[in-house]
Amino acid sequence: MVRVGIIMGSQSDWPTMKEASVVLDELGVSWQANIVSAHRTPDRLWDYGKTAVDRGLQVIIAGAGGAAHLPGMMASKTRIPVIGVPVLTKALSGVDSLYSIVQMPKGYPVATMAIGAAGAANAGLMATAILALQDPALAARLDAWRAALSESIPQEPRDE
Ligand code: RP5
């Protein structure tokens, strides 16, 4: 069963959102990616949100750029935790995306990550951490992943 739904407003978001899927693959978490646009495919957004619980999704990672309404609209349609990823934009460097996603009204939170690829990767890690609360084997894999990252950081810088 798919545990994490990765959704994005456009095909052009995939190079960013793929970073979430890479992390989930590394940690052995099942995911499925779909294009669901708040503006271009609102009916698809509605159906996705309405059926998410019954389909067994446990976390939704939603990325969008510009007037990025997708994460917030999805949060309004399902109680499954939504992690928002602001996609980098040419015009405003993703600050437009960030502000659109992070400023949710009281009652419908979106856990908002950093702008761009790092935010997408962190969304994968955040989703894993949520799932690991009820999954000891996954918790062990996440601990090992984090330890390996720490281990990979050198003690001293070198000339490049
Ligand atoms: C948003 O508009 C998408 O999330 C994307 O980041 C942005 C631009 O979309 P395209 O014009 O590249 O399809 O809805």
Side-chain angles (χ1 to χ4, degrees), residues 1 8 24 34-35 45 48 51 53 63 65 77 80 82 86-87 96 98-99 107 112 121 136 152 154-155:
M1 187 175 278
M8 65 216 79
L24 293 173
N34 293 100
I35 297 172
L45 185 159
Y48 191 102
T51 61
V53 169
K77 201 60 195 158
I80 294 170
V82 175
V87 172
D96 43 353
L98 174 66
Y99 286 175
T112 307
S152 75
Q155 295 274 358

Side-chain angles (χ1 to χ4, degrees), residues 97-134:
S97 321
L98 174 66
Y99 286 175
S100 299
I101 294 173
V102 77
Q103 290 292 359
M104 288 296 289
K106 183 177 178 179
Y108 295 91
V110 171
T112 307
M113 300 291 107
I115 297 168
N122 277 345
L125 291 166
M126 183 64 72
T128 302
I130 293 169
L131 298 174
L133 291 170
Q134 307 291 335

Side-chain angles (χ1 to χ4, degrees), residues 33-95:
N34 293 100
I35 297 172
V36 180
S37 168
H39 308 114
R40 293 170 175 154
T41 66
D43 293 341
R44 201 184 294 177
L45 185 159
W46 227 237
D47 287 344
Y48 191 102
K50 246 180 4 193
T51 61
V53 169
D54 288 344
R55 288 186 286 121
L57 290 179
Q58 295 174 301
V59 182
I60 294 172
I61 297 172
H69 298 138
L70 176 64
M73 289 302 294
M74 189 54 74
S76 79
K77 201 60 195 158
T78 180
R79 63 174 151 74
I80 294 170
V82 175
I83 303 172
V85 179
V87 172
L88 195 67
T89 53
K90 282 201 188 91
L92 296 172
S93 305
V95 174

Side-chain angles (χ1 to χ4, degrees), residues 9-10 12-13 40 64-65:
S10 168
S12 65
D13 296 325
R40 293 170 175 154

